[in-house]
Amino acid sequence: MTDSNETPDGAQRIAEVAAHLFARDGFNGVSMATLAREAGVSKAAIFHHFPSKEDLYFHVLKQACGELQAFLREHVANHQDPRQAFRDFARFHMENLRRSPDVARLVMRELLEGDQDRLRALVEEVFGEVFQHLVTLLREAQNAGQLASGHDPALVAGTLLNIQLFFAQTQAHWHHLPEVEFAGSPEAFNEGLLRLLEEGLTPRTEIEDEPSPDE
């Protein structure tokens, strides 16, 4: 057995294997002995980098979330167009889910089956910043008149994130449904989702006269 304790990429190797195992077997289904065997390291090497299984678990999730945090920090600070920044994030998030299927599966599994205390910590410590930045972008777009102000930006943010996550985990099955043309293309799905959200969120410049029920 090779011990990667002293190699500079040892922690990353352990985290990558852990992401796959956690996604496949769940938090409680992964033992440190199994992880050590699959990663080709000793248990001592794992504990050198990560004091506990909980620390390793949250490291995996925080690492996955790091790219999203960095992307949103840059766009919130530097964007000139909040609606375009929102679209850019939606594309980036969809691509990130496609590139990291283990992490996407892990998040879905945790949302459906996870321990409540761990789930609360996951939401507060890992995804809270991403969600807050996205809500900020949507609120700025509303204040700029780019999106209708009558919609709760937190609801919109949650809708986008959850639909994208669901599609990333079920994409292989969509082609079984009739008239589904986007099953093989996350990009087409994402563009359709954005159009659906934005057209429903676009402020009306004119109030059309609706016929009364008596007419």
Side-chain angles (χ1 to χ4, degrees), residues 144-186:
Q146 296 178 319
L147 298 175
S149 60
H151 300 283
D152 182 350
L155 178 60
V156 178
T159 299
L160 174 75
L161 295 173
N162 282 286
I163 290 178
Q164 287 182 321
L165 178 61
F166 178 77
F167 177 76
Q169 288 301 289
T170 60
Q171 181 183 349
H173 307 294
W174 281 82
H175 71 277
H176 297 300
L177 296 172
E179 300 192 40
V180 172
E181 299 179 356
F182 54 77
S185 175

Short mmCIF file of all heavy atoms in Angstrom, two decimals, residues 144-186:
data_model
loop_
_atom_site.label_atom_id
_atom_site.label_comp_id
_atom_site.label_asym_id
_atom_site.label_seq_id
_atom_site.Cartn_x
_atom_site.Cartn_y
_atom_site.Cartn_z
N ALA A 144 -33.01 47.27 -10.96
CA ALA A 144 -32.66 47.94 -12.21
C ALA A 144 -33.79 47.88 -13.24
O ALA A 144 -33.65 48.42 -14.34
CB ALA A 144 -31.39 47.33 -12.79
N GLY A 145 -34.89 47.23 -12.90
CA GLY A 145 -36.01 47.12 -13.82
C GLY A 145 -35.81 46.06 -14.88
O GLY A 145 -36.57 46.00 -15.85
N GLN A 146 -34.81 45.19 -14.73
CA GLN A 146 -34.55 44.13 -15.71
C GLN A 146 -35.43 42.91 -15.47
O GLN A 146 -35.69 42.14 -16.39
CB GLN A 146 -33.08 43.72 -15.66
CG GLN A 146 -32.11 44.82 -16.06
CD GLN A 146 -30.67 44.34 -15.94
OE1 GLN A 146 -30.31 43.65 -14.98
NE2 GLN A 146 -29.84 44.72 -16.90
N LEU A 147 -35.83 42.72 -14.23
CA LEU A 147 -36.70 41.60 -13.87
C LEU A 147 -37.83 42.14 -13.02
O LEU A 147 -37.67 43.13 -12.31
CB LEU A 147 -35.93 40.53 -13.10
CG LEU A 147 -34.79 39.83 -13.82
CD1 LEU A 147 -34.05 38.88 -12.87
CD2 LEU A 147 -35.27 39.07 -15.05
N ALA A 148 -38.97 41.48 -13.10
CA ALA A 148 -40.14 41.93 -12.37
C ALA A 148 -39.88 41.90 -10.87
O ALA A 148 -39.27 40.96 -10.33
CB ALA A 148 -41.35 41.06 -12.71
N SER A 149 -40.33 42.92 -10.17
CA SER A 149 -40.05 43.05 -8.74
C SER A 149 -40.99 42.24 -7.86
O SER A 149 -40.75 42.11 -6.67
CB SER A 149 -40.13 44.52 -8.34
OG SER A 149 -41.43 45.04 -8.59
N GLY A 150 -42.04 41.67 -8.44
CA GLY A 150 -43.04 40.99 -7.62
C GLY A 150 -42.67 39.57 -7.22
O GLY A 150 -43.43 38.92 -6.52
N HIS A 151 -41.49 39.09 -7.66
CA HIS A 151 -41.09 37.72 -7.37
C HIS A 151 -40.02 37.70 -6.29
O HIS A 151 -39.10 38.52 -6.28
CB HIS A 151 -40.57 37.05 -8.64
CG HIS A 151 -41.58 36.98 -9.74
ND1 HIS A 151 -42.61 36.08 -9.76
CD2 HIS A 151 -41.72 37.75 -10.86
CE1 HIS A 151 -43.34 36.25 -10.85
NE2 HIS A 151 -42.82 37.26 -11.53
N ASP A 152 -40.12 36.76 -5.38
CA ASP A 152 -39.15 36.60 -4.31
C ASP A 152 -37.83 36.11 -4.90
O ASP A 152 -37.77 35.00 -5.45
CB ASP A 152 -39.68 35.59 -3.30
CG ASP A 152 -38.76 35.39 -2.10
OD1 ASP A 152 -37.62 35.88 -2.13
OD2 ASP A 152 -39.19 34.73 -1.13
N PRO A 153 -36.74 36.89 -4.81
CA PRO A 153 -35.47 36.46 -5.41
C PRO A 153 -34.93 35.18 -4.79
O PRO A 153 -34.25 34.40 -5.48
CB PRO A 153 -34.52 37.65 -5.17
CG PRO A 153 -35.15 38.44 -4.08
CD PRO A 153 -36.62 38.23 -4.21
N ALA A 154 -35.21 34.92 -3.52
CA ALA A 154 -34.77 33.68 -2.90
C ALA A 154 -35.49 32.48 -3.51
O ALA A 154 -34.89 31.41 -3.70
CB ALA A 154 -35.00 33.73 -1.39
N LEU A 155 -36.76 32.65 -3.84
CA LEU A 155 -37.52 31.58 -4.48
C LEU A 155 -36.98 31.31 -5.88
O LEU A 155 -36.85 30.16 -6.30
CB LEU A 155 -39.00 31.95 -4.54
CG LEU A 155 -39.94 30.94 -5.21
CD1 LEU A 155 -39.90 29.60 -4.51
CD2 LEU A 155 -41.37 31.48 -5.24
N VAL A 156 -36.66 32.37 -6.61
CA VAL A 156 -36.11 32.22 -7.95
C VAL A 156 -34.76 31.51 -7.90
O VAL A 156 -34.48 30.59 -8.67
CB VAL A 156 -35.98 33.58 -8.65
CG1 VAL A 156 -35.36 33.42 -10.04
CG2 VAL A 156 -37.34 34.27 -8.75
N ALA A 157 -33.90 31.94 -6.96
CA ALA A 157 -32.57 31.32 -6.82
C ALA A 157 -32.70 29.85 -6.48
O ALA A 157 -32.02 29.00 -7.06
CB ALA A 157 -31.78 32.05 -5.73
N GLY A 158 -33.59 29.52 -5.55
CA GLY A 158 -33.79 28.12 -5.18
C GLY A 158 -34.34 27.29 -6.32
O GLY A 158 -33.95 26.14 -6.51
N THR A 159 -35.24 27.88 -7.12
CA THR A 159 -35.80 27.18 -8.27
C THR A 159 -34.71 26.84 -9.26
O THR A 159 -34.61 25.69 -9.75
CB THR A 159 -36.88 28.03 -8.94
OG1 THR A 159 -37.94 28.28 -8.01
CG2 THR A 159 -37.44 27.35 -10.17
N LEU A 160 -33.87 27.81 -9.60
CA LEU A 160 -32.80 27.57 -10.56
C LEU A 160 -31.85 26.47 -10.07
O LEU A 160 -31.58 25.50 -10.79
CB LEU A 160 -32.01 28.86 -10.78
CG LEU A 160 -30.77 28.69 -11.67
CD1 LEU A 160 -31.18 28.54 -13.13
CD2 LEU A 160 -29.79 29.85 -11.50
N LEU A 161 -31.35 26.61 -8.85
CA LEU A 161 -30.36 25.67 -8.34
C LEU A 161 -30.91 24.25 -8.25
O LEU A 161 -30.24 23.28 -8.62
CB LEU A 161 -29.87 26.13 -6.96
CG LEU A 161 -29.09 27.45 -6.94
CD1 LEU A 161 -28.82 27.88 -5.50
CD2 LEU A 161 -27.78 27.33 -7.72
N ASN A 162 -32.13 24.12 -7.77
CA ASN A 162 -32.69 22.79 -7.57
C ASN A 162 -33.08 22.12 -8.89
O ASN A 162 -32.88 20.91 -9.05
CB ASN A 162 -33.91 22.87 -6.64
CG ASN A 162 -33.51 22.99 -5.19
OD1 ASN A 162 -33.05 22.03 -4.58
ND2 ASN A 162 -33.65 24.19 -4.63
N ILE A 163 -33.60 22.88 -9.84
CA ILE A 163 -33.95 22.28 -11.13
C ILE A 163 -32.69 21.84 -11.86
O ILE A 163 -32.63 20.77 -12.47
CB ILE A 163 -34.78 23.26 -11.99
CG1 ILE A 163 -36.16 23.44 -11.38
CG2 ILE A 163 -34.90 22.76 -13.42
CD1 ILE A 163 -37.03 24.43 -12.11
N GLN A 164 -31.64 22.66 -11.81
CA GLN A 164 -30.39 22.27 -12.45
C GLN A 164 -29.81 21.01 -11.80
O GLN A 164 -29.33 20.11 -12.50
CB GLN A 164 -29.39 23.42 -12.37
CG GLN A 164 -29.70 24.58 -13.31
CD GLN A 164 -28.64 25.66 -13.23
OE1 GLN A 164 -28.14 25.98 -12.16
NE2 GLN A 164 -28.29 26.23 -14.37
N LEU A 165 -29.83 20.96 -10.48
CA LEU A 165 -29.32 19.79 -9.78
C LEU A 165 -30.12 18.54 -10.13
O LEU A 165 -29.55 17.46 -10.39
CB LEU A 165 -29.35 20.02 -8.27
CG LEU A 165 -28.88 18.87 -7.38
CD1 LEU A 165 -27.43 18.51 -7.67
CD2 LEU A 165 -29.06 19.23 -5.90
N PHE A 166 -31.44 18.67 -10.17
CA PHE A 166 -32.29 17.53 -10.50
C PHE A 166 -32.00 17.04 -11.92
O PHE A 166 -31.87 15.83 -12.16
CB PHE A 166 -33.77 17.91 -10.37
CG PHE A 166 -34.72 16.81 -10.73
CD1 PHE A 166 -34.95 15.75 -9.85
CD2 PHE A 166 -35.36 16.80 -11.96
CE1 PHE A 166 -35.82 14.73 -10.18
CE2 PHE A 166 -36.23 15.78 -12.30
CZ PHE A 166 -36.46 14.74 -11.41
N PHE A 167 -31.87 17.96 -12.86
CA PHE A 167 -31.60 17.55 -14.24
C PHE A 167 -30.24 16.86 -14.34
O PHE A 167 -30.10 15.84 -15.04
CB PHE A 167 -31.63 18.76 -15.18
CG PHE A 167 -31.28 18.41 -16.60
CD1 PHE A 167 -32.20 17.77 -17.41
CD2 PHE A 167 -30.02 18.70 -17.12
CE1 PHE A 167 -31.88 17.42 -18.72
CE2 PHE A 167 -29.69 18.37 -18.41
CZ PHE A 167 -30.62 17.72 -19.23
N ALA A 168 -29.24 17.40 -13.65
CA ALA A 168 -27.90 16.80 -13.70
C ALA A 168 -27.91 15.36 -13.23
O ALA A 168 -27.15 14.52 -13.72
CB ALA A 168 -26.92 17.62 -12.87
N GLN A 169 -28.80 15.05 -12.28
CA GLN A 169 -28.86 13.69 -11.73
C GLN A 169 -29.80 12.76 -12.48
O GLN A 169 -29.74 11.55 -12.29
CB GLN A 169 -29.27 13.77 -10.25
CG GLN A 169 -28.19 14.32 -9.35
CD GLN A 169 -26.93 13.48 -9.42
OE1 GLN A 169 -26.90 12.36 -8.95
NE2 GLN A 169 -25.89 14.01 -10.04
N THR A 170 -30.66 13.31 -13.31
CA THR A 170 -31.65 12.47 -14.01
C THR A 170 -31.54 12.57 -15.53
O THR A 170 -32.38 12.02 -16.24
CB THR A 170 -33.08 12.87 -13.59
OG1 THR A 170 -33.31 14.26 -13.92
CG2 THR A 170 -33.28 12.68 -12.09
N GLN A 171 -30.52 13.24 -16.02
CA GLN A 171 -30.41 13.50 -17.45
C GLN A 171 -30.51 12.25 -18.31
O GLN A 171 -31.14 12.25 -19.37
CB GLN A 171 -29.08 14.21 -17.76
CG GLN A 171 -28.90 14.55 -19.23
CD GLN A 171 -27.55 15.19 -19.51
OE1 GLN A 171 -26.83 15.56 -18.58
NE2 GLN A 171 -27.19 15.29 -20.77
N ALA A 172 -29.92 11.14 -17.84
CA ALA A 172 -29.89 9.91 -18.64
C ALA A 172 -31.28 9.33 -18.88
O ALA A 172 -31.45 8.51 -19.80
CB ALA A 172 -29.02 8.87 -17.94
N HIS A 173 -32.27 9.76 -18.11
CA HIS A 173 -33.61 9.16 -18.22
C HIS A 173 -34.59 10.03 -19.00
O HIS A 173 -35.68 9.55 -19.34
CB HIS A 173 -34.17 8.90 -16.82
CG HIS A 173 -33.25 8.11 -15.94
ND1 HIS A 173 -32.92 6.80 -16.20
CD2 HIS A 173 -32.57 8.46 -14.82
CE1 HIS A 173 -32.08 6.36 -15.27
NE2 HIS A 173 -31.85 7.34 -14.43
N TRP A 174 -34.22 11.27 -19.28
CA TRP A 174 -35.18 12.17 -19.92
C TRP A 174 -35.54 11.73 -21.34
O TRP A 174 -36.63 12.03 -21.83
CB TRP A 174 -34.62 13.60 -19.94
CG TRP A 174 -34.76 14.30 -18.63
CD1 TRP A 174 -33.93 14.19 -17.56
CD2 TRP A 174 -35.77 15.22 -18.24
NE1 TRP A 174 -34.37 14.98 -16.52
CE2 TRP A 174 -35.50 15.63 -16.92
CE3 TRP A 174 -36.90 15.75 -18.89
CZ2 TRP A 174 -36.30 16.53 -16.23
CZ3 TRP A 174 -37.70 16.65 -18.21
CH2 TRP A 174 -37.40 17.03 -16.89
N HIS A 175 -34.62 11.02 -22.00
CA HIS A 175 -34.91 10.65 -23.39
C HIS A 175 -36.04 9.64 -23.50
O HIS A 175 -36.57 9.40 -24.58
CB HIS A 175 -33.64 10.10 -24.06
CG HIS A 175 -33.23 8.75 -23.55
ND1 HIS A 175 -32.50 8.57 -22.40
CD2 HIS A 175 -33.48 7.49 -24.04
CE1 HIS A 175 -32.29 7.28 -22.21
NE2 HIS A 175 -32.88 6.61 -23.17
N HIS A 176 -36.42 9.03 -22.38
CA HIS A 176 -37.55 8.09 -22.41
C HIS A 176 -38.90 8.82 -22.52
O HIS A 176 -39.91 8.19 -22.86
CB HIS A 176 -37.55 7.24 -21.14
CG HIS A 176 -36.35 6.35 -20.99
ND1 HIS A 176 -36.01 5.38 -21.91
CD2 HIS A 176 -35.39 6.30 -20.02
CE1 HIS A 176 -34.92 4.76 -21.53
NE2 HIS A 176 -34.52 5.30 -20.38
N LEU A 177 -38.91 10.09 -22.22
CA LEU A 177 -40.16 10.85 -22.25
C LEU A 177 -40.44 11.35 -23.67
O LEU A 177 -39.52 11.69 -24.41
CB LEU A 177 -40.08 12.05 -21.30
CG LEU A 177 -39.94 11.69 -19.81
CD1 LEU A 177 -39.67 12.94 -18.99
CD2 LEU A 177 -41.21 11.00 -19.31
N PRO A 178 -41.73 11.41 -24.05
CA PRO A 178 -42.06 11.86 -25.41
C PRO A 178 -41.74 13.34 -25.61
O PRO A 178 -41.89 14.15 -24.69
CB PRO A 178 -43.57 11.59 -25.52
CG PRO A 178 -44.04 11.59 -24.10
CD PRO A 178 -42.91 11.03 -23.28
N GLU A 179 -41.28 13.67 -26.81
CA GLU A 179 -41.05 15.05 -27.26
C GLU A 179 -39.97 15.79 -26.46
O GLU A 179 -39.93 17.02 -26.49
CB GLU A 179 -42.36 15.85 -27.25
CG GLU A 179 -43.41 15.25 -28.17
CD GLU A 179 -44.60 16.19 -28.38
OE1 GLU A 179 -44.36 17.39 -28.53
OE2 GLU A 179 -45.73 15.70 -28.39
N VAL A 180 -39.11 15.06 -25.79
CA VAL A 180 -38.00 15.70 -25.07
C VAL A 180 -36.80 15.73 -26.01
O VAL A 180 -36.26 14.68 -26.37
CB VAL A 180 -37.65 14.95 -23.78
CG1 VAL A 180 -36.37 15.50 -23.17
CG2 VAL A 180 -38.80 15.07 -22.79
N GLU A 181 -36.37 16.93 -26.40
CA GLU A 181 -35.27 17.08 -27.33
C GLU A 181 -33.97 17.54 -26.66
O GLU A 181 -32.93 17.59 -27.29
CB GLU A 181 -35.65 18.09 -28.43
CG GLU A 181 -36.87 17.64 -29.24
CD GLU A 181 -37.25 18.66 -30.30
OE1 GLU A 181 -36.61 19.74 -30.34
OE2 GLU A 181 -38.18 18.37 -31.08
N PHE A 182 -34.04 17.87 -25.36
CA PHE A 182 -32.87 18.43 -24.68
C PHE A 182 -32.15 17.40 -23.81
O PHE A 182 -31.19 17.75 -23.12
CB PHE A 182 -33.29 19.61 -23.81
CG PHE A 182 -34.40 19.30 -22.83
CD1 PHE A 182 -34.15 18.59 -21.67
CD2 PHE A 182 -35.70 19.73 -23.09
CE1 PHE A 182 -35.18 18.30 -20.78
CE2 PHE A 182 -36.73 19.44 -22.20
CZ PHE A 182 -36.46 18.72 -21.03
N ALA A 183 -32.58 16.13 -23.86
CA ALA A 183 -32.02 15.13 -22.94
C ALA A 183 -30.50 15.01 -23.08
O ALA A 183 -29.80 14.83 -22.09
CB ALA A 183 -32.67 13.78 -23.17
N GLY A 184 -29.99 15.12 -24.29
CA GLY A 184 -28.56 14.95 -24.49
C GLY A 184 -27.77 16.23 -24.44
O GLY A 184 -26.56 16.22 -24.71
N SER A 185 -28.41 17.32 -24.09
CA SER A 185 -27.72 18.62 -24.13
C SER A 185 -28.03 19.45 -22.89
O SER A 185 -29.06 20.12 -22.83
CB SER A 185 -28.14 19.40 -25.39
OG SER A 185 -27.56 20.70 -25.38
N PRO A 186 -27.14 19.43 -21.89
CA PRO A 186 -27.33 20.31 -20.73
C PRO A 186 -27.42 21.78 -21.13
O PRO A 186 -28.14 22.55 -20.49
CB PRO A 186 -26.08 20.05 -19.88
CG PRO A 186 -25.62 18.69 -20.28
CD PRO A 186 -25.95 18.59 -21.75
#
